[in-house]
Amino acid sequence: MRAERATEDVDRQLVRYRAWQRRFLASPGDPAVRARFEAAVAALCAVTNRRCGREAAEAAERLPRPAPAGRAYPLGGD
């Protein structure tokens, strides 16, 4: 249960990071957007234990996800 909760937190921070990344890339001169993006980077780095936002995002995307409930075998299996 604890690992599932950690995965949910990483997923939530990754979604937040990607959303603010898009906004920042669209408006790089906006100080408010920049501050929110930097806060999202810091939060993602904290939950993934990485020092760089890009590395944190890559680590979050590679994180293994639990199998959906009720499915004891992978899709496409024989």
Side-chain angles (χ1 to χ4, degrees):
M1 183 74 147
R2 186 178 173 113
E4 184 177 313
R5 183 179 247 171
T7 303
E8 290 173 4
D9 192 30
V10 170
D11 288 344
R12 185 172 40 256
Q13 294 303 330
L14 179 61
V15 168
R16 180 174 172 241
Y17 167 83
R18 291 293 185 205
W20 282 107
Q21 180 185 41
R22 284 190 299 274
R23 291 179 185 145
F24 175 69
L25 292 173
S27 303
D30 186 335
V33 171
R34 181 182 193 92
R36 296 296 298 262
F37 174 61
E38 289 174 354
V41 169
L44 184 61
C45 287
V47 298
T48 59
N49 200 26
R50 298 291 196 278
R51 294 182 65 178
C52 168
R54 180 186 49 79
E55 290 175 7
E58 289 173 1
E61 289 168 345
R62 286 192 313 264
L63 192 67
R65 303 298 190 267
R71 186 168 292 154
Y73 54 89
L75 292 175
D78 292 322

